[in-house]
DNA sequence: TGGAAGTGGTTACATTTGAAACCAATTTTA
DNA sequence: TAAAATTGGTTTCAAATGTAACCACTTCCA
């Protein structure tokens, strides 16, 4: 930092020069904000690790991750599982097909649907990325105790359920 | 849902038709992924509530929120506090100045720096958005017990510290 | 049956975003 | 003290994203 009235760390924000206003939003304790910063830091770090090596975008990797675990899904199924946009899925799928990472086959029972799967090459890549991703997650989880890890799990479930409610009903107000 | 091998809810993923592979990445339990979905859901819901009324983007509102609490920051300070991109800050700042929501003044000690503050109008808007944002946060936090809230607080601190380490040192591997 | 309505998926267009190049001011260092 | 390196901030351009319109197929229902 370069001047008196700034701080190198958010935890030092109570420097007297800062003239914190008591009724203000304490952004550094504001959950939506903290979630966003944390999530971006984590996702970007991981994406850096695989995007260069395998030429995958985040949405594309997500599609692979789901298909690796649950074969024979359609694009619509992916939309539902990932909460990603329909168009984002469509684009990710077409990139992945171009790269020969996934295959697409017609569903004869419903000729609008297209059934997606990892190709052999795709599964190969998938199996190389998975440990990488897990390494990051382990490192992250390693900063928590076993208790904290299980607390976090159930807390996320609750928050997710509440946020999901917002999306369903017409928001709060 | 439309077919046998899909599920309407991520918690139902263990349908026998799904042929889950034991060593695969369990994306629905993968922390980076869950954080991303949760964070996007929350931020978008809140943004919907203020963007229409005040014509603010998420980055712009963030800048206002920080400046409302900590006056006299430069763009670089904002980058550091928010973990947002430099360019995103620059654009948010120029929009906010155009809207007369913030002011920009030269730092005479270092003429590269520009000191930013909420304008009177900006503070006005800020003070109207803050309760709105808090309403959402309260609703979200309302889904947790007091214990869980304090657990979450310290868990986030730990995760953030670890993710911050990644950014500092050259990642994990 | 045969249209209206619904669903799966893609395309088109406008907006947002990010990386890299850039300018200007400052600090370093030889 | 002058060139080199660094820092604050903006612009440029390409890529990513979201909304809406759209086509093809299927389902519903008279």
């Amino acid at each position: 930092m370069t001047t008196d009235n700034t701080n190198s760390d958010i935890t030092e924000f109570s420097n007297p020069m800062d003239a914190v206003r008591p009724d203000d939003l304490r952004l550094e304790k504001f959950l939506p904000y903290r979630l966003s910063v944390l999530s971006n830091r984590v996702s970007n770090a991981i994406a850096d690790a695989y995007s260069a090596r395998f030429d995958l975008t985040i949405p594309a990797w997500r599609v692979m991750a789901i298909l690796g675990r649950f074969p024979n899904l359609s694009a619509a199924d992916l939309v539902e599982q990932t909460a990603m946009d329909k168009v984002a899925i469509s684009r990710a799928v077409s990139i992945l097909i171009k790269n020969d990472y996934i295959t697409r086959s017609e569903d004869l029972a419903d000729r609008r649907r297209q059934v997606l799967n990892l190709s052999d090459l795709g599964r190969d890549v998938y199996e190389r990325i998975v440990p990488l991703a897990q390494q990051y997650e382990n490192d992250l989880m390693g900063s928590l105790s076993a208790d904290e890890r299980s607390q976090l799990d159930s807390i996320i479930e609750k928050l997710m359920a509440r946020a999901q409610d917002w999306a369903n009903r017409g928001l709060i107000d």
Side-chain angles (χ1 to χ4, degrees), chain A:
Chain A
M1 297 310 304
T2 52
T3 67
D4 293 343
N5 61 354
T6 59
N7 298 286
S8 65
D9 185 332
I10 207 157
T11 62
E12 294 169 15
F13 253 141
S14 53
N15 183 318
M17 292 297 293
D18 280 332
V20 170
R21 304 167 59 99
D23 286 351
D24 286 336
L25 182 64
R26 301 185 53 215
L27 198 61
E28 72 281 9
K29 286 292 177 193
F30 186 60
L31 183 61
Y33 172 74
R34 296 168 88 194
L35 284 177
S36 165
V37 172
L38 177 61
S39 167
N40 286 338
R41 286 210 171 117
V42 170
S43 289
N44 289 335
I46 299 178
D48 282 351
Y50 63 66
S51 66
R53 306 184 208 185
F54 301 102
D55 191 30
L56 285 175
T57 62
I58 292 183
W61 160 243
R62 269 195 198 158
V63 166
M64 290 186 70
I66 298 270
L67 287 179
R69 186 156 158 70
F70 306 105
N72 297 315
L73 299 186
S74 70
D77 299 333
L78 289 170
V79 167
E80 192 159 345
Q81 301 302 346
T82 59
M84 285 167 61
D85 188 86
K86 189 189 193 188
V87 180
I89 296 283
S90 170
R91 285 194 268 242
V93 164
S94 77
I95 289 172
L96 289 170
I97 287 179
K98 200 170 302 170
N99 293 358
D100 285 321
Y101 285 174
I102 67 175
T103 63
R104 171 160 57 186
S105 53
E106 283 201 358
D107 181 342
L108 295 179
D110 181 344
R111 290 188 8 264
R112 294 169 305 182
R113 294 183 85 244
Q114 305 179 335
V115 178
L116 304 171
N117 277 293
L118 290 185
S119 66
D120 290 346
L121 174 60
R123 176 152 297 277
D124 212 70
V125 167
Y126 171 78
E127 278 166 1
R128 289 202 281 157
I129 294 182
V130 166
L132 203 69
Q134 278 166 339
Q135 190 186 356
Y136 276 89
E137 192 193 26
N138 288 342
D139 192 60
L140 207 52
M141 289 299 203
S143 66
L144 305 180
S145 70
D147 273 356
E148 284 172 328
R149 284 196 283 272
S150 79
Q151 287 159 5
L152 178 59
D153 182 65
S154 84
I155 287 171
I156 287 180
E157 289 304 324
K158 290 180 185 179
L159 295 177
M160 195 81 86
R162 182 61 55 103
Q164 184 65 66
D165 283 352
W166 293 352
N168 295 340
R169 322 192 316 263
L171 303 186
I172 289 183
D173 40 358

